[in-house]
């Protein structure tokens, strides 16, 4: 992660540095991207760069964290609902926003592809979703509510990994597949999404 001096830079400067680095890492890959070329294009000296990052790996970690934050912003917060229809609508809307973001921001998709699932806000979103589904009796807690939550996180992680590696599939098929998998896991019937 970036060193404290990076966090003290103006927001616009941080964003510009990360944007340049994201473009290089997306185009060239983590290993082939040149730290020297990135910092030169970002307009910072090598000395300054080492005040902000321990090196290329540290910069790449910051780019991945930033891409994950942007992805979670696109997803939006989980808002508790009172009905099954509202829950499925929110799952569908969040997934649709997320897939649109990845489709519209291929550099984010490229730097996140192949990385371990970022967890963080996404994991919190999934935990809130499951808790809400249990509360409104949409989700069958058998055999164990905690295990259902872990399995649900696993479904999201598997589908996220697949979607990041298959950018041509970033559309309704991902949303429909997710709702089908969740309905099967939760032992419930999914609502038809294509009619809405």
């Amino acid at each position: 992660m970036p060193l404290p001096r990076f966090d003290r830079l103006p927001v616009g400067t941080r964003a510009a540095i990360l944007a340049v680095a994201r473009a290089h890492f997306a185009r060239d890959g983590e290993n082939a991207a040149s730290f020297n070329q990135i910092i030169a294009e970002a307009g910072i000296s090598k000395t300054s760069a080492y005040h902000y990052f321990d090196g290329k790996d540290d910069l790449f970690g910051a780019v991945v964290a930033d891409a994950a934050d942007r992805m979670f912003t696109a997803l939006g917060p989980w808002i508790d609902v009172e009905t099954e229809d509202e829950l499925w609508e929110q799952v569908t809307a969040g997934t649709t926003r997320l897939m649109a973001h990845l489709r519209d921001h291929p550099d984010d998709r490229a730097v996140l592809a192949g990385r371990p699932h970022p967890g963080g806000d996404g994991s919190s979103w999934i935990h809130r979703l499951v808790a809400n589904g249990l509360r409104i009796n949409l989700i069958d807690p058998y055999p164990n509510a905690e295990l259902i939550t872990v399995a649900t996180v696993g479904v999201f992680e598997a589908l996220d990994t697949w979607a990041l590696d298959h950018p041509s599939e970033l559309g309704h098929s991902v949303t429909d597949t997710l709702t089908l998998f969740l309905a099967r896991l939760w032992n419930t019937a999914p609502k038809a999404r294509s009619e809405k």
Side-chain angles (χ1 to χ4, degrees):
M1 294 315 300
L3 298 172
R5 285 187 184 178
F6 182 74
D7 292 331
R8 290 193 292 265
L9 288 173
V11 172
T13 304
R14 287 194 317 259
I17 292 168
L18 292 175
V20 169
R22 182 172 50 250
H24 278 262
F25 287 124
R27 182 188 67 227
D28 302 330
E30 178 182 1
N31 295 328
S34 165
F35 187 64
N36 289 336
Q37 287 179 354
I38 293 169
I39 62 176
E41 188 175 323
I44 56 176
S45 70
K46 199 166 196 172
T47 302
S48 293
Y50 281 105
H51 284 289
Y52 306 143
F53 306 99
D54 280 332
K56 184 172 80 168
D57 291 342
D58 195 34
L59 175 57
F60 183 72
V63 168
V64 169
D66 180 62
D69 286 346
R70 291 159 44 88
M71 183 179 73
F72 293 136
T73 297
L75 175 64
W78 179 263
I79 308 297
D80 283 346
V81 297
E82 298 303 320
T83 69
E84 291 182 24
D85 285 344
E86 291 172 328
L87 186 135
W88 286 119
E89 287 171 9
Q90 190 168 178
V91 168
T92 299
T95 305
T96 300
R97 285 190 307 271
L98 185 58
M99 294 302 109
H101 173 81
L102 294 174
R103 192 175 44 253
D104 296 343
H105 298 88
D107 287 354
D108 283 354
R109 188 206 56 77
V111 298
L112 290 169
R115 305 271 60 83
H117 195 271
D121 292 340
S123 181
S124 172
W125 193 92
I126 298 166
H127 283 260
R128 291 197 62 200
L129 157 67
V130 173
N132 194 169
L134 289 165
R135 185 179 57 75
I136 65 171
N137 297 314
L138 169 67
I139 299 174
D140 181 353
Y142 180 80
N144 178 286
E146 184 178 349
L147 181 57
I148 295 295
T149 302
V150 170
T152 302
V153 169
V155 167
F156 273 89
E157 288 179 358
L159 195 58
D160 287 350
T161 299
W162 182 85
L164 288 168
D165 290 338
H166 297 85
S168 64
E169 301 293 329
L170 295 178
H172 289 292
S173 65
V174 173
T175 304
D176 292 343
T177 301
L178 175 64
T179 56
L180 177 63
F181 284 177
L182 292 178
R184 288 178 176 171
L185 173 65
W186 297 341
N187 197 23
T188 188
K191 301 292 181 190
R193 239 66 56 221
S194 58
E195 297 172 6
K196 295 188 179 192

